[in-house]
Amino acid sequence: MAGRSARRWVAAVPQQVRHLGAIFALLVAGLVGARQVLVPKTFGERGHYRAAAVDSIVAQEIGYAGHAACETCHPDIADKKGQSYHRGVACEVCHGPQAAHVLAPMDHKPPAPRERAYCPLCHGYNPSRPTGFPQIDPVLHNPVRPCISCHDPHDPTPPHPPESCAACHGEIARTKAISYHAELPCTQCHAVDRRHSVSPRQQRPSKPTTREFCGRCHAQDADSPPEIPRVDLASHGPGYVCWQCHYPHHPEAR
Ligand code: HEC
Ligand code: HEC
Ligand code: HEC
Ligand code: HEC
Ligand code: HEC
Ligand code: HEC
Ligand code: HEC
Ligand code: HEC
């Protein structure tokens, strides 16, 4: 009686729904089977993860020691770096994972990134970096020499650019120092922007361009101390600028 009504109910269901039902039943059976085969044994024991994973992670070799470990044996470097711009950059960022070195310092020597290509990984110009992050153009910024020849990696404060002209123009300064122009400061004749000592070729000082410039002190009617020798600008070497005959850093006439 019950079997007959069930068969009649099944026959009343449309054929396509019966086919779909069969596919659905197969899918469910497949998923249940796959769960048995594919889900790892200890999954879910302690939470939504494989409990045995903890053991296999614990078994992995430790690579990093953490910066606190470095501080115990290298306190001077740690102190220096701790006060510097690089205080937020951990030792092992630059020196690589060093757990082995901590266990046996003499057997495992950490490498140090001395080559010029390394620092621009963080400091090379890249518009996506945060505004104000110190960036340089590695092609233009003091080319060729390694960064660490000017910047201490553990305290990378930029060095003070040289203040005296003689630091870079030694030959001119030494020549002028024994000349009649010894008392004239370089800036008497050259207008120099402060940035010239940082980017010399981009920020060029001015140079005198006219005879009248020298005439300010040497013309007959110049308002300058009387011991300065005078020439008549109109007749003295006309048609040439003065420094075609007188080297301005060591002018000689006798
Ligand atoms: C147990 C003490 C100890 C700890 C901890 C330690 N170091 Fe050292 N480290 C030394 C000693 C000793 C030397 C000197 C080896 C030598 O001069 O031959 C050294 C040398 C170095 C050198 C120079 C290698 C060279 O070629 O001159 C670097 C770089 C260095 N350590 C980085 C680190 C870093 C990074 C850490 C932290 C992960 C660290 N150290 C932790 C003892 C230690
Ligand atoms: C920004 C990258 C950077 C960071 C961060 C850094 N170092 Fe260095 N370290 C270098 C470079 C580059 C050299 C090589 C310097 C040289 O040859 O003049 C070096 C050299 C060393 C040396 C060997 C020479 C020396 O000065 O005695 C030791 C030891 C050292 N580092 C330890 C450390 C420790 C400890 C820390 C963390 C407190 C650390 N470093 C953080 C880049 C770094
Ligand atoms: C992992 C990234 C990283 C690496 C690698 C790195 N630095 Fe830095 N550097 C920083 C950070 C972060 C600062 C601090 C920026 C700030 O204060 O806003 C900094 C600051 C500086 C400054 C200070 C700039 C200023 O504002 O006056 C100089 C110079 C510098 N680094 C040079 C170097 C040199 C040279 C190297 C290679 C030995 C190097 N850096 C490697 C991240 C890095
Ligand atoms: C010949 C010496 C020299 C060399 C080599 C050098 N620098 Fe500099 N660096 C300076 C001086 C001087 C300044 C400060 C003047 C300035 O702001 O340009 C400076 C400034 C910086 C600044 C700060 C810029 C800012 O806007 O605050 C960063 C970052 C820097 N250098 C990174 C580097 C990196 C990275 C290298 C290697 C690719 C390098 N420097 C090579 C001399 C040098
Ligand atoms: C950091 C080094 C440095 C310092 C400091 C420096 N200069 Fe220069 N200066 C240079 C370089 C490099 C050049 C370019 C030389 C070239 O291109 O042949 C230059 C060029 C010049 C020029 C020629 C410009 C041109 O267009 O021919 C004058 C003038 C000059 N410097 C004057 C000065 C004076 C004055 C001072 C001091 C207030 C000074 N410099 C400080 C490095 C420096
Ligand atoms: C009396 C004016 C005067 C003074 C002082 C002077 N200069 Fe000059 N300097 C000149 C003139 C004029 C030129 C241009 C020469 C030319 O265009 O050929 C020049 C050119 C230069 C140049 C370009 C390269 C060269 O030799 O022609 C440099 C660099 C320079 N001066 C540096 C200095 C420095 C550094 C000092 C200080 C130690 C100094 N000058 C002082 C007048 C002066
Ligand atoms: C700020 C004033 C001043 C300017 C500008 C100046 N000079 Fe002079 N010059 C002097 C002084 C001061 C002496 C030395 C006078 C003395 O004590 O004999 C001198 C001496 C000389 C002498 C004489 C050397 C000798 O053998 O007696 C010559 C030549 C000369 N300057 C050329 C120039 C030229 C060229 C320029 C332009 C590039 C120039 N000066 C710009 C102040 C100046
Ligand atoms: C054609 C080359 C030439 C030119 C251009 C020239 N001079 Fe002379 N200058 C000389 C010679 C040569 C002497 C030495 C002989 C003399 O006194 O006539 C001299 C002498 C001087 C003396 C020394 C005068 C004395 O009484 O001791 C001064 C100052 C002087 N020149 C300044 C200048 C000035 C300023 C200019 C540019 C306006 C200039 N010269 C242009 C060639 C030149």
Side-chain angles (χ1 to χ4, degrees):
M1 185 63 192
R4 245 175 63 200
S5 67
R7 248 197 316 267
R8 215 181 301 145
W9 181 80
V10 169
V13 174
Q15 190 190 27
Q16 65 270 38
V17 175
R18 265 184 280 145
H19 288 174
L20 265 180
I23 290 170
F24 184 71
L26 268 177
L27 259 179
V28 170
L31 279 177
V32 170
R35 188 174 194 282
Q36 295 299 321
V37 181
L38 296 181
V39 175
K41 291 245 151 26
T42 56
F43 183 86
E45 265 176 29
R46 278 181 250 165
H48 198 74
Y49 61 91
R50 187 170 62 91
V54 178
D55 302 325
S56 51
I57 288 167
V58 166
Q60 274 182 11
E61 211 176 305
I62 292 174
Y64 287 91
H67 69 98
C70 319
E71 282 164 20
T72 54
C73 296
H74 299 288
D76 41 343
I77 294 181
D79 282 353
K80 195 205 270 186
K81 189 180 77 68
Q83 321 263 320
S84 81
Y85 281 108
H86 275 169
R87 60 188 166 276
V89 185
C91 313
E92 287 165 299
V93 168
C94 295
H95 290 293
Q98 289 308 331
H101 168 69
V102 168
L103 293 176
M106 302 313 263
D107 299 341
H108 296 92
K109 289 225 174 163
R114 296 185 168 86
E115 69 281 12
R116 192 177 155 87
Y118 178 74
C119 314
L121 291 178
C122 288
H123 290 292
Y125 176 69
N126 179 335
S128 69
R129 298 225 154 103
T131 334
F133 185 79
Q135 299 179 62
I136 47 116
D137 179 342
V139 177
L140 294 178
H141 183 76
N142 300 298
V144 183
R145 291 169 59 185
C147 316
I148 57 170
S149 66
C150 296
H151 300 283
D152 179 345
H154 303 136
D155 184 6
T157 322
H160 283 294
E163 286 179 12
S164 112
C165 313
C168 302
H169 298 291
E171 211 176 311
I172 292 176
R174 287 190 296 272
T175 304
K176 188 176 78 66
I178 51 158
S179 81
Y180 285 105
H181 278 168
E183 295 302 318
L184 305 189
C186 309
T187 47
Q188 180 89 51
C189 304
H190 301 290
V192 189
D193 188 290
R194 204 181 48 80
R195 287 168 295 174
H196 172 63
S197 52
V198 172
S199 311
R201 289 186 175 82
Q202 280 76 39
Q203 295 288 336
R204 291 185 178 265
S206 71
K207 291 187 290 190
T209 50
T210 61
R211 290 164 58 84
E212 284 68 33
F213 180 87
C214 308
R216 280 189 221 162
C217 292
H218 290 292
Q220 299 290 13
D221 57 349
D223 179 22
S224 62
E227 65 272 19
I228 295 182
R230 307 304 166 111
V231 291
D232 176 23
L233 280 204
S235 61
H236 184 82
Y240 300 95
V241 283
C242 315
W243 45 95
Q244 278 172 294
C245 296
H246 302 287
Y247 183 49
H249 307 129
H250 196 321
E252 276 174 296
R254 294 155 209 165

